Amino acid sequence: MIKPLSDRVVIQALEREEKTKSGIVLPDTAKEKPQEGRIVAVGNGRLLDNGQRVSLDVKAGDKVMFSKYAGTEIKIDGQDYLILSERDVLAIIE
Amino acid sequence: MIKPLSDRVVIQALEREEKTKSGIVLPDTAKEKPQEGRIVAVGNGRLLDNGQRVSLDVKAGDKVMFSKYAGTEIKIDGQDYLILSERDVLAIIE
Amino acid sequence: MIKPLSDRVVIQALEREEKTKSGIVLPDTAKEKPQEGRIVAVGNGRLLDNGQRVSLDVKAGDKVMFSKYAGTEIKIDGQDYLILSERDVLAIIE
Amino acid sequence: MIKPLSDRVVIQALEREEKTKSGIVLPDTAKEKPQEGRIVAVGNGRLLDNGQRVSLDVKAGDKVMFSKYAGTEIKIDGQDYLILSERDVLAIIE
Amino acid sequence: MIKPLSDRVVIQALEREEKTKSGIVLPDTAKEKPQEGRIVAVGNGRLLDNGQRVSLDVKAGDKVMFSKYAGTEIKIDGQDYLILSERDVLAIIE
Amino acid sequence: MIKPLSDRVVIQALEREEKTKSGIVLPDTAKEKPQEGRIVAVGNGRLLDNGQRVSLDVKAGDKVMFSKYAGTEIKIDGQDYLILSERDVLAIIE
Amino acid sequence: MIKPLSDRVVIQALEREEKTKSGIVLPDTAKEKPQEGRIVAVGNGRLLDNGQRVSLDVKAGDKVMFSKYAGTEIKIDGQDYLILSERDVLAIIE
């Protein structure tokens, strides 16, 4: 098991099935910039300057949108993941 | 549904019908720099260093003026949106 | 109506009638760098790190001197304005 | 009248009569870097992060030494002045 | 014995036996970027601006993942170690 | 008299008589980088973000070692001095 | 005697007798990057933003490891020393 530190999260990127309204599947280069993924692990939270620890706004299981070029690629049990700061998570998709 | 994190907002850009006083419609290149849009979703607010969370000054439905080159383009259900920090929202148009 | 956010102000630039002591009107290139303008709208104030909001030192109607290259040009009802941070306002002219 | 904002000051630069010990007047290029001037107006003070406003250490009438390349040149009633941050004032000459 | 200062940790890098699912051992260049290691010593913690000292989230013995290019190589008793800030430790592997 | 502002000090540089152990006087280029000088005036102290003013650790008369390239050269009554921040004073020589 | 200011320390670099396990003395270029030294003097401590002064984690006599390119070379009584910030001291060797 991997336990990210501070405000870091581990994300599994999702392959997005991209279809235009007319039903045409777009090739990879026509896809949008931010990427979608699912949070698989979150850190214990960032420490504020007043010594208070702030838990994250995302939790394991959340489907999120994140900056494509943020973070570091890691491999756990042969599977690809990304580890990045919560600051690079743009939004939760519900 | 998309739920932006922290002080981020999701904006739908508005096409501006640009007319000079004499009624001539200006072509695209003659348009002004900042862009107008409508807020469709706002984050839970920025966290201050003292641990206090500050709700945003804008809310869903607000018509705003924002820095044209700020933020990240996202696509939700085939529709184009922008996700950006409230800092890049210049003003509310009432 | 436009309502700037945070510590931003909307300024209408003033054409300065520039005359030397001897009464000669100086052409545009001989003019000084900072520009004069009149505040037409002010934001709700900057938020300090302790959560306190600080109202601005300038108010609508003030004649001010501001950094010529600061801010963003906006157009409201065909009229040109500038939107900039109060930090770029150098002084109030009374 | 001009009223600088925050920690800014308005300074009137002083022409320095520069003489060597032997009495020779030095030409302009041999002069020292920092410039002398007289404070003609001071701002209402800088706002600290805790919301406290701090009045300036200099006051109108003070003869000061300041960084030659700091600030912005302004012209009031045909007279040249400089507007700069108190941080660029090095010392008071008494 | 080595006692790192502040939020620094001493890490012994681990050679990772990298195998693909099909059992093929990957050569060095195909390995992932972040490196794994074992914490051998931790500092007394970072000092916050309010004077409070914060103990580290990792402890001696922890297996961690860290940024490959972070820190400084040191040699203790002929053995290679890395000394780096806890900020460069991405996650604990349990 | 000159009264530096904030955490600034005025220093008179000292010519260092540099001799090797064997008594040979070293020429100028062989001298060490930091320079020695005597404090002739100190500012009223730096203002902390909490509004507290902190008096300096050095006082007029102190012999100090300072970064050679720090500060600004000033001339008072034909005499050369340096005005620099206390941060650029490395140590007091007693 | 030299009294460093703030969080600075004076260090006397130690010549490291570098031997490989097999007993071969390594020439200078094969040595490791960080350098070892002995603290000979420490400052009165860094001042936090809340006005609290924090004494150093190292004391005179401590054997330490420090960043080789940090600090400034000084000469006291013909002897070479380094003056550097405690931040550049990596660890205490016990």
Side-chain angles (χ1 to χ4, degrees), chain E residues 3 5 15 18 20-21 31 37 39 43-44 47-48 51 55-56 60 62-63 70 73 81 87 89 93:
Chain E
K3 224 176 87 184
L5 289 179
E15 293 306 315
E18 198 93 340
T20 63
K21 290 227 146 172
K31 279 185 185 171
I39 303 280
N44 53 346
L47 200 73
L48 297 181
S55 60
L56 279 70
D62 280 354
K63 194 177 160 192
E73 292 177 18
Y81 295 92
R87 253 170 303 215
V89 177
I93 305 162

mmCIF file of all heavy atoms in Angstrom, chain E residues 3 5 15 18 20-21 31 37 39 43-44 47-48 51 55-56 60 62-63 70 73 81 87 89 93:
data_model
loop_
_atom_site.group_PDB
_atom_site.id
_atom_site.type_symbol
_atom_site.label_atom_id
_atom_site.label_comp_id
_atom_site.label_asym_id
_atom_site.label_seq_id
_atom_site.Cartn_x
_atom_site.Cartn_y
_atom_site.Cartn_z
ATOM 1 N N LYS E 3 23.128 12.854 12.331
ATOM 2 C CA LYS E 3 21.880 13.438 12.830
ATOM 3 C C LYS E 3 21.477 14.593 11.916
ATOM 4 O O LYS E 3 22.019 15.680 12.036
ATOM 5 C CB LYS E 3 22.129 13.968 14.261
ATOM 6 C CG LYS E 3 21.049 13.643 15.280
ATOM 7 C CD LYS E 3 21.439 14.123 16.655
ATOM 8 C CE LYS E 3 21.042 15.584 16.894
ATOM 9 N NZ LYS E 3 21.510 16.077 18.229
ATOM 10 N N LEU E 5 19.654 17.792 10.262
ATOM 11 C CA LEU E 5 19.049 18.968 10.885
ATOM 12 C C LEU E 5 17.691 19.270 10.272
ATOM 13 O O LEU E 5 17.418 18.933 9.124
ATOM 14 C CB LEU E 5 19.960 20.179 10.710
ATOM 15 C CG LEU E 5 21.251 20.171 11.526
ATOM 16 C CD1 LEU E 5 22.057 21.429 11.236
ATOM 17 C CD2 LEU E 5 20.948 20.101 13.017
ATOM 18 N N GLU E 15 17.857 -0.908 -4.418
ATOM 19 C CA GLU E 15 17.894 -1.409 -5.784
ATOM 20 C C GLU E 15 16.555 -2.064 -6.037
ATOM 21 O O GLU E 15 16.116 -2.915 -5.266
ATOM 22 C CB GLU E 15 19.021 -2.433 -5.944
ATOM 23 C CG GLU E 15 20.398 -1.835 -5.819
ATOM 24 C CD GLU E 15 20.603 -0.675 -6.780
ATOM 25 O OE1 GLU E 15 20.224 -0.815 -7.963
ATOM 26 O OE2 GLU E 15 21.127 0.374 -6.354
ATOM 27 N N GLU E 18 13.091 -5.009 -10.982
ATOM 28 C CA GLU E 18 11.968 -4.592 -11.817
ATOM 29 C C GLU E 18 11.607 -5.711 -12.799
ATOM 30 O O GLU E 18 12.384 -6.068 -13.664
ATOM 31 C CB GLU E 18 12.370 -3.319 -12.584
ATOM 32 C CG GLU E 18 11.238 -2.534 -13.131
ATOM 33 C CD GLU E 18 10.797 -1.446 -12.141
ATOM 34 O OE1 GLU E 18 11.109 -1.568 -10.931
ATOM 35 O OE2 GLU E 18 10.136 -0.505 -12.558
ATOM 36 N N THR E 20 8.460 -7.156 -15.412
ATOM 37 C CA THR E 20 7.163 -6.922 -16.034
ATOM 38 C C THR E 20 6.253 -8.073 -15.639
ATOM 39 O O THR E 20 6.698 -9.074 -15.072
ATOM 40 C CB THR E 20 7.264 -6.889 -17.569
ATOM 41 O OG1 THR E 20 7.705 -8.172 -17.993
ATOM 42 C CG2 THR E 20 8.248 -5.832 -18.020
ATOM 43 N N LYS E 21 4.945 -7.913 -15.931
ATOM 44 C CA LYS E 21 3.965 -8.944 -15.562
ATOM 45 C C LYS E 21 4.361 -10.291 -16.152
ATOM 46 O O LYS E 21 4.173 -11.338 -15.536
ATOM 47 C CB LYS E 21 2.565 -8.538 -16.075
ATOM 48 C CG LYS E 21 1.986 -7.352 -15.309
ATOM 49 C CD LYS E 21 0.537 -7.621 -14.896
ATOM 50 C CE LYS E 21 0.253 -6.966 -13.538
ATOM 51 N NZ LYS E 21 -1.150 -7.020 -13.152
ATOM 52 N N LYS E 31 13.376 1.723 -16.251
ATOM 53 C CA LYS E 31 12.820 1.881 -14.908
ATOM 54 C C LYS E 31 12.089 3.207 -14.757
ATOM 55 O O LYS E 31 12.345 4.161 -15.482
ATOM 56 C CB LYS E 31 13.953 1.810 -13.873
ATOM 57 C CG LYS E 31 14.372 0.383 -13.541
ATOM 58 C CD LYS E 31 15.400 0.390 -12.439
ATOM 59 C CE LYS E 31 15.929 -1.012 -12.163
ATOM 60 N NZ LYS E 31 17.063 -0.990 -11.245
ATOM 61 N N GLY E 37 13.603 3.915 -1.282
ATOM 62 C CA GLY E 37 14.703 3.848 -0.338
ATOM 63 C C GLY E 37 14.187 3.621 1.061
ATOM 64 O O GLY E 37 12.975 3.555 1.282
ATOM 65 N N ILE E 39 14.437 5.023 5.026
ATOM 66 C CA ILE E 39 14.877 6.116 5.897
ATOM 67 C C ILE E 39 15.811 5.535 6.964
ATOM 68 O O ILE E 39 15.464 4.559 7.621
ATOM 69 C CB ILE E 39 13.664 6.765 6.607
ATOM 70 C CG1 ILE E 39 12.628 7.288 5.594
ATOM 71 C CG2 ILE E 39 14.106 7.849 7.563
ATOM 72 C CD1 ILE E 39 12.940 8.596 4.962
ATOM 73 N N GLY E 43 15.583 14.276 10.914
ATOM 74 C CA GLY E 43 15.935 15.470 11.666
ATOM 75 C C GLY E 43 14.976 15.731 12.813
ATOM 76 O O GLY E 43 13.999 14.999 12.993
ATOM 77 N N ASN E 44 15.249 16.815 13.562
ATOM 78 C CA ASN E 44 14.417 17.158 14.724
ATOM 79 C C ASN E 44 13.152 17.909 14.321
ATOM 80 O O ASN E 44 12.357 18.302 15.166
ATOM 81 C CB ASN E 44 15.219 17.981 15.729
ATOM 82 C CG ASN E 44 15.879 19.199 15.095
ATOM 83 O OD1 ASN E 44 15.958 19.304 13.863
ATOM 84 N ND2 ASN E 44 16.331 20.116 15.908
ATOM 85 N N LEU E 47 10.934 24.160 11.868
ATOM 86 C CA LEU E 47 10.431 25.149 12.795
ATOM 87 C C LEU E 47 9.432 26.040 12.065
ATOM 88 O O LEU E 47 9.766 26.690 11.079
ATOM 89 C CB LEU E 47 11.595 26.003 13.314
ATOM 90 C CG LEU E 47 11.306 26.730 14.619
ATOM 91 C CD1 LEU E 47 11.284 25.748 15.769
ATOM 92 C CD2 LEU E 47 12.342 27.800 14.853
ATOM 93 N N LEU E 48 8.206 26.071 12.534
ATOM 94 C CA LEU E 48 7.201 26.932 11.918
ATOM 95 C C LEU E 48 7.466 28.394 12.293
ATOM 96 O O LEU E 48 8.216 28.670 13.232
ATOM 97 C CB LEU E 48 5.800 26.536 12.385
ATOM 98 C CG LEU E 48 5.350 25.128 12.006
ATOM 99 C CD1 LEU E 48 3.942 24.879 12.507
ATOM 100 C CD2 LEU E 48 5.407 24.948 10.492
ATOM 101 N N GLY E 51 7.142 29.515 15.847
ATOM 102 C CA GLY E 51 8.088 29.021 16.843
ATOM 103 C C GLY E 51 7.864 27.567 17.235
ATOM 104 O O GLY E 51 8.606 27.001 18.046
ATOM 105 N N SER E 55 7.456 17.667 14.156
ATOM 106 C CA SER E 55 8.195 16.432 13.906
ATOM 107 C C SER E 55 7.802 15.889 12.530
ATOM 108 O O SER E 55 6.738 16.190 11.999
ATOM 109 C CB SER E 55 7.898 15.423 15.002
ATOM 110 O OG SER E 55 6.527 15.153 15.023
ATOM 111 N N LEU E 56 8.662 15.077 11.959
ATOM 112 C CA LEU E 56 8.461 14.596 10.597
ATOM 113 C C LEU E 56 7.356 13.526 10.500
ATOM 114 O O LEU E 56 6.979 12.923 11.505
ATOM 115 C CB LEU E 56 9.772 14.022 10.065
ATOM 116 C CG LEU E 56 10.760 15.081 9.530
ATOM 117 C CD1 LEU E 56 11.349 15.914 10.624
ATOM 118 C CD2 LEU E 56 11.822 14.440 8.673
ATOM 119 N N ALA E 60 12.719 6.568 10.984
ATOM 120 C CA ALA E 60 13.754 5.613 10.599
ATOM 121 C C ALA E 60 13.097 4.253 10.402
ATOM 122 O O ALA E 60 12.258 3.826 11.203
ATOM 123 C CB ALA E 60 14.837 5.549 11.668
ATOM 124 N N ASP E 62 11.200 3.470 7.743
ATOM 125 C CA ASP E 62 10.153 3.594 6.712
ATOM 126 C C ASP E 62 10.736 3.368 5.315
ATOM 127 O O ASP E 62 11.812 3.867 4.979
ATOM 128 C CB ASP E 62 9.527 4.998 6.740
ATOM 129 C CG ASP E 62 8.493 5.157 7.839
ATOM 130 O OD1 ASP E 62 8.185 4.146 8.498
ATOM 131 O OD2 ASP E 62 8.016 6.286 8.046
ATOM 132 N N LYS E 63 9.978 2.627 4.503
ATOM 133 C CA LYS E 63 10.329 2.469 3.089
ATOM 134 C C LYS E 63 9.591 3.582 2.354
ATOM 135 O O LYS E 63 8.371 3.732 2.504
ATOM 136 C CB LYS E 63 9.878 1.089 2.609
ATOM 137 C CG LYS E 63 10.481 0.672 1.272
ATOM 138 C CD LYS E 63 10.042 -0.741 0.910
ATOM 139 C CE LYS E 63 10.201 -0.992 -0.580
ATOM 140 N NZ LYS E 63 9.529 -2.238 -0.991
ATOM 141 N N ALA E 70 16.518 14.711 -6.144
ATOM 142 C CA ALA E 70 16.547 15.565 -4.970
ATOM 143 C C ALA E 70 17.740 15.213 -4.087
ATOM 144 O O ALA E 70 18.275 14.120 -4.143
ATOM 145 C CB ALA E 70 15.248 15.408 -4.187
ATOM 146 N N GLU E 73 24.262 13.570 -2.252
ATOM 147 C CA GLU E 73 24.846 12.260 -1.954
ATOM 148 C C GLU E 73 25.893 12.393 -0.867
ATOM 149 O O GLU E 73 26.754 13.262 -0.924
ATOM 150 C CB GLU E 73 25.500 11.687 -3.218
ATOM 151 C CG GLU E 73 24.498 11.330 -4.293
ATOM 152 C CD GLU E 73 25.184 10.834 -5.557
ATOM 153 O OE1 GLU E 73 26.370 10.450 -5.483
ATOM 154 O OE2 GLU E 73 24.536 10.836 -6.607
ATOM 155 N N TYR E 81 24.629 7.220 0.836
ATOM 156 C CA TYR E 81 23.315 7.636 1.323
ATOM 157 C C TYR E 81 22.913 8.923 0.609
ATOM 158 O O TYR E 81 23.727 9.539 -0.072
ATOM 159 C CB TYR E 81 23.359 7.896 2.836
ATOM 160 C CG TYR E 81 23.638 6.679 3.662
ATOM 161 C CD1 TYR E 81 24.948 6.361 4.020
ATOM 162 C CD2 TYR E 81 22.607 5.841 4.086
ATOM 163 C CE1 TYR E 81 25.223 5.231 4.784
ATOM 164 C CE2 TYR E 81 22.873 4.713 4.852
ATOM 165 C CZ TYR E 81 24.184 4.407 5.196
ATOM 166 O OH TYR E 81 24.450 3.297 5.949
ATOM 167 N N ARG E 87 10.228 17.247 2.223
ATOM 168 C CA ARG E 87 9.378 17.704 1.116
ATOM 169 C C ARG E 87 9.597 16.884 -0.159
ATOM 170 O O ARG E 87 8.732 16.819 -1.021
ATOM 171 C CB ARG E 87 9.706 19.168 0.805
ATOM 172 C CG ARG E 87 8.628 20.123 1.264
ATOM 173 C CD ARG E 87 9.144 21.522 1.132
ATOM 174 N NE ARG E 87 10.399 21.637 1.920
ATOM 175 C CZ ARG E 87 10.767 22.721 2.579
ATOM 176 N NH1 ARG E 87 10.004 23.777 2.553
ATOM 177 N NH2 ARG E 87 11.883 22.770 3.270
ATOM 178 N N VAL E 89 10.219 13.689 -0.191
ATOM 179 C CA VAL E 89 9.710 12.332 0.000
ATOM 180 C C VAL E 89 8.248 12.343 -0.450
ATOM 181 O O VAL E 89 7.442 13.102 0.070
ATOM 182 C CB VAL E 89 9.818 11.887 1.476
ATOM 183 C CG1 VAL E 89 9.214 10.509 1.652
ATOM 184 C CG2 VAL E 89 11.277 11.904 1.926
ATOM 185 N N ILE E 93 5.781 3.599 1.544
ATOM 186 C CA ILE E 93 5.300 2.338 0.992
ATOM 187 C C ILE E 93 5.150 1.347 2.145
ATOM 188 O O ILE E 93 6.095 1.107 2.882
ATOM 189 C CB ILE E 93 6.298 1.775 -0.056
ATOM 190 C CG1 ILE E 93 6.563 2.828 -1.136
ATOM 191 C CG2 ILE E 93 5.777 0.474 -0.674
ATOM 192 C CD1 ILE E 93 7.815 2.560 -1.928
#
